[in-house]
């Protein structure tokens, strides 16, 4: 009998309950934010609190005591956390999506990760930056270096890209290897302007063996062909690239809301220097800036949730979205980060230079959003080009990640 055969009677919370738990943690996240930045990793007190709140189980199968939710749930939970701290939200979000990735592997591999710990943390990098050779029914990673593993300090496992080769050493496929963190070396390389506390470190491998059941073909996954035997679990039928892309905007949405809320709260107590206005709230110019930023943030949410619904509905129906839909999800992803970063910039103009004081949370929101929005998978021009080609029926010569 496999570990998955055991019945977990833990009552699953609703998404609303998880969001409320995330917001209840806000005082702790804000208290620890500065120390997390200084140490360049989320404080362990924070990590333990989000684990205890069940926020690391959003994507873990119910078979193991997880919540097995959906894309919208990831957006809701991560954005609620980001209202207090963007880095914590990013780490939790990336752990959750890597737990989803883990749930695509054969049950034997899933058992190894979640069988004894439904709160197991998994980090991941899909770039195939490793040297390998075929060995028996698996592969030996001779050497490998992977940047950037968000939450790598807290993870027990990692999903890492590598080239699949034949006996002659020729690359014939691209794979993802599920590797215990104990087999890897952590290297602290994360020195950045924003999202400082995500601990997005480098992982290194040296002469480790990965068995066949912990290997997944990326091209097959992009086509929706996953090695899991659990075909009746709808969430794990979600389109591969689409879900990996759109969930990245969850923390960014929360940062946008946090910036808007902060500037609104201060509007009645701040003057506008070198003007007759004793309160920003009395200025029509300020009102226009605030309204424009709020509408940008609203628009970003509309696009994010449309994309999430596309992903979730396809998974429920058991269908693989067509090229046009998948391209639109990539474009929606880019549009979200573009609108949020524009809105935060406008809010900084409206609030004034005090927003750049080290004591102000606004400057950290700005830095975190700016860095998160430059993740390669969310870059707006790439998403727009993919969507434009799909709209015109032009061949995709941009990326296989669609």
């Amino acid at each position: 009998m496999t570990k998955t055969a055991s019945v977990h009677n833990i009552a699953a919370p609703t998404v609303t309950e998880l969001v409320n738990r995330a917001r209840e943690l806000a005082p702790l996240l804000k208290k620890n934010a500065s120390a997390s930045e200084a140490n360049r990793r989320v404080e362990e007190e924070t990590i333990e609190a989000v684990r205890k709140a069940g926020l690391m189980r959003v994507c873990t199968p119910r078979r193991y005591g997880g919540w097995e939710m959906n894309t919208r749930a990831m957006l809701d939970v991560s954005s609620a956390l980001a209202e207090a701290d963007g880095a914590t939200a990013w780490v939790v979000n990336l752990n959750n999506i890597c737990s989803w990735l883990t749930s695509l592997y054969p049950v034997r591999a899933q058992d190894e990760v979640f069988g004894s710990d439904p709160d197991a943390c998994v980090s991941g990098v899909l770039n195939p930056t490793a040297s390998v050779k075929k060995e028996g029914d698996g592969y030996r990673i001779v050497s490998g270096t992977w940047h950037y593993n968000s939450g790598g300090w807290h993870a027990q496992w990692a999903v890492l890209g590598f080239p699949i080769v034949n006996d002659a050493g020729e690359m014939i496929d691209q794979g993802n290897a599920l590797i215990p963190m104990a087999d890897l070396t952590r290297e602290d390389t994360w020195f950045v302007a924003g999202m400082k506390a995500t601990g997005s470190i480098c992982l290194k491998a040296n002469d480790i063996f990965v068995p066949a059941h912990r290997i997944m073909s990326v091209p097959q996954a992009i086509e929706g062909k996953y090695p899991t035997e659990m075909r009746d679990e709808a969430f794990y039928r979600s389109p591969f690239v689409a879900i990996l892309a759109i969930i990245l905007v969850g923390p960014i949405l929360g940062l946008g809301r946090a910036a808007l809320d902060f500037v609104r709260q201060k509007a009645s107590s701040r003057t506008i220097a070198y003007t007759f206005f004793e309160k920003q709230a009395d200025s029509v110019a300020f009102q226009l800036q605030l309204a424009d930023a709020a509408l940008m943030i609203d628009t970003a949410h509309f696009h994010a949730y449309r994309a999430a619904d596309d992903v979730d509905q396809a998974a429920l129906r058991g269908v693989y979205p067509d090229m046009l839909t998948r391209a639109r999800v990539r474009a929606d992803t880019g549009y979200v980060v573009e609108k949020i970063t524009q809105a935060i910039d406008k809010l900084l103009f409206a609030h004034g230079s005090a927003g750049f004081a080290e004591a102000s949370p606004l400057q950290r929101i700005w830095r975190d959003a700016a860095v998160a929005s430059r993740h390669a998978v969310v870059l707006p021009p790439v998403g727009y080009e993919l969507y434009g080609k799909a709209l015109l029926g032009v061949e995709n010569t941009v990326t296989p990640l669609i």
Side-chain angles (χ1 to χ4, degrees):
M1 181 180 294
T2 66
K3 296 173 186 175
T4 57
S6 62
V7 178
H8 291 267
N9 295 316
I10 301 173
T14 65
V15 177
T16 299
E17 287 171 337
L18 286 184
V19 168
N20 289 338
R21 292 180 194 179
R23 289 187 171 137
E24 287 168 2
L25 291 176
L28 175 67
L29 269 59
K30 291 178 179 179
K31 175 182 77 73
N32 287 340
S34 294
S36 294
E37 274 217 321
N39 295 325
R40 291 172 296 106
R41 67 183 77 175
V42 177
E43 291 288 283
E44 281 301 319
E45 181 185 23
T46 298
I47 293 295
E48 287 306 311
V50 297
R51 275 202 189 105
K52 186 176 180 180
L55 304 183
M56 297 283 204
R57 299 190 187 190
V58 174
C59 297
T60 304
R62 291 294 301 274
R63 292 175 282 116
Y64 299 106
W67 313 141
E68 197 175 317
M69 289 181 163
N70 58 20
T71 313
R72 282 186 71 109
M74 279 192 281
L75 294 182
D76 286 341
V77 170
S78 62
S79 62
L81 286 169
E83 291 170 6
D85 181 43
T88 298
W90 189 264
V91 168
V92 172
N93 200 39
L94 269 290
N95 171 80
N96 277 324
I97 193 59
C98 287
S99 292
W100 178 84
L101 279 170
T102 301
S103 304
L104 307 183
Y105 283 83
V107 169
R108 181 181 173 188
Q110 296 180 43
D111 282 347
E112 291 172 353
V113 177
F114 300 124
S116 61
D117 184 9
D119 290 315
C121 292
V122 187
S123 68
V125 175
L126 304 191
N127 280 344
T129 48
S131 172
V132 304
K133 62 182 181 180
K134 186 79 175 69
E135 183 175 307
D137 69 343
Y139 291 86
R140 182 162 297 278
I141 298 180
V142 179
S143 64
T145 302
W146 296 271
H147 303 272
Y148 297 98
N149 290 267
S150 297
W153 290 117
H154 316 290
Q156 292 82 49
W157 289 80
V159 177
L160 302 172
F162 77 106
I164 293 177
V165 300
N166 58 21
D167 290 334
E170 301 164 331
M171 183 174 177
I172 57 173
D173 199 354
Q174 180 179 335
N176 284 336
L178 184 59
I179 303 173
M181 198 64 77
D183 289 350
L184 301 164
T185 301
R186 295 176 173 96
E187 186 171 310
D188 190 359
T189 55
W190 189 240
F191 299 89
V192 291
M195 285 291 182
K196 288 186 175 184
T198 59
S200 301
I201 55 177
C202 167
L203 295 182
K204 290 191 172 184
N206 181 37
D207 192 32
I208 63 172
F209 178 73
V210 184
H213 71 278
R214 288 202 260 115
I215 294 170
M216 177 170 54
S217 166
V218 173
Q220 290 288 307
I222 290 173
E223 295 178 6
K225 300 173 183 175
Y226 307 138
T228 177
E229 301 92 340
M230 310 303 290
R231 305 298 179 188
D232 59 342
E233 296 175 340
F235 186 32
Y236 309 112
R237 297 195 298 256
S238 302
F240 190 76
V241 176
I243 192 172
L244 293 181
I246 194 60
I247 63 94
L248 292 172
V249 307
I252 300 169
L253 292 172
L255 289 167
R257 298 200 301 259
L260 178 63
D261 185 59
F262 180 81
V263 173
R264 285 179 65 191
Q265 287 183 6
K266 297 295 183 180
S268 295
S269 59
R270 283 184 52 77
T271 65
I272 300 179
Y274 306 110
T275 73
F276 295 114
F277 293 107
E278 295 184 359
K279 294 190 298 182
Q280 290 177 333
D282 292 335
S283 164
V284 172
F286 179 88
Q287 294 162 10
L288 292 173
Q289 287 176 301
L290 192 71
D292 195 14
L295 288 170
M296 287 181 187
I297 293 168
D298 285 345
T299 300
H301 281 73
F302 295 148
H303 280 267
Y305 285 115
R306 176 178 72 169
D309 287 344
D310 284 341
V311 170
D312 291 337
Q313 290 303 312
L316 286 172
R317 296 195 308 270
V319 300
Y320 193 66
D322 60 22
M323 177 66 75
L324 185 63
T325 302
R326 286 181 283 136
R328 191 179 72 187
V329 171
R330 287 293 306 264
D332 279 335
T333 301
Y335 195 71
V336 170
V337 301
E338 185 173 75
K339 291 295 113 181
I340 294 292
T341 52
Q342 289 174 351
I344 292 174
D345 280 348
K346 188 171 287 286
L347 289 166
L348 274 161
F349 274 116
H351 182 73
S353 58
F356 293 100
E358 289 186 355
S360 172
L362 196 56
Q363 52 82 23
R364 185 167 61 246
I365 290 169
W366 171 63
R367 288 186 290 105
D368 284 350
V371 170
S373 296
R374 270 66 180 188
H375 190 289
V377 177
V378 306
L379 293 176
V382 174
Y384 298 163
E385 184 175 357
L386 286 171
Y387 191 34
K389 289 182 185 301
L391 286 168
L392 294 169
V394 175
E395 180 186 2
N396 167 26
T397 56
V398 181
T399 175
L401 295 180
I402 187 169

